[in-house]
C-alpha cells in the first residue's frame, strides 16, 4: 500500500472517530431533553434582519483559523515523519 493511501485511511479513521465521539452523546442528550421542540421553534422563528452581522463574521474567522491550525499541524507532522525515515 502506498504512503498516501495509508495516510488517507488513518486520517479518515481519525475524523470518523472524532465525529462519532461528538455526535452520538449529543444526539442522545438532545433526544432526552426536549431540545427538539426548541429547535423546531427556533427554525420557525424568522428574524427581521438578514445576514449574520458582525458576530457571524467573527465566528467565520474563528472557524477558518481553527481549520488552518489543524491543516498546519497535519503538514508539520507529515514533514517530521518524512525527515526521520
Amino acid at each position: 500500500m502506498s504512503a498516501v493511501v495509508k495516510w488517507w485511511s488513518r486520517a479518515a479513521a481519525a475524523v470518523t472517530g472524532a465525529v462519532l465521539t461528538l455526535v452520538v452523546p449529543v444526539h442522545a442528550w438532545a433526544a432526552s431533553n426536549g431540545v427538539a421542540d426548541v429547535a423546531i421553534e427556533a427554525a420557525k422563528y424568522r428574524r427581521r434582519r438578514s445576514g449574520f452581522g458582525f458576530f457571524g463574521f467573527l465566528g467565520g474567522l474563528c472557524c477558518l483559523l481553527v481549520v488552518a491550525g489543524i491543516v498546519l499541524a497535519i503538514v508539520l507532522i507529515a514533514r517530521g515523519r518524512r525527515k526521520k525515515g
Side-chain angles (χ1 to χ4, degrees):
M1 219 186 319
S2 71
V4 174
V5 174
K6 284 183 183 179
W7 183 85
W8 182 253
S9 63
R10 288 177 185 161
V15 168
T16 303
V19 167
L20 289 177
T21 301
L22 295 173
V23 169
V24 172
V26 169
H27 179 12
W29 172 81
S32 65
N33 282 339
V35 176
D37 298 331
V38 175
I40 290 171
E41 291 298 322
K44 289 180 181 178
Y45 176 72
R46 295 184 183 250
R47 295 185 349 174
R48 292 181 184 169
R49 295 187 307 164
S50 63
F52 295 104
F54 186 67
F55 293 111
F57 174 73
L58 290 179
L61 182 63
C62 179
C63 181
L64 286 176
L65 289 174
V66 169
V67 170
I70 292 170
V71 169
L72 180 65
I74 291 172
V75 168
L76 291 175
I77 290 170
R79 282 189 179 184
R81 288 184 181 215
R82 202 177 315 147
K83 287 181 182 177
K84 285 182 181 180

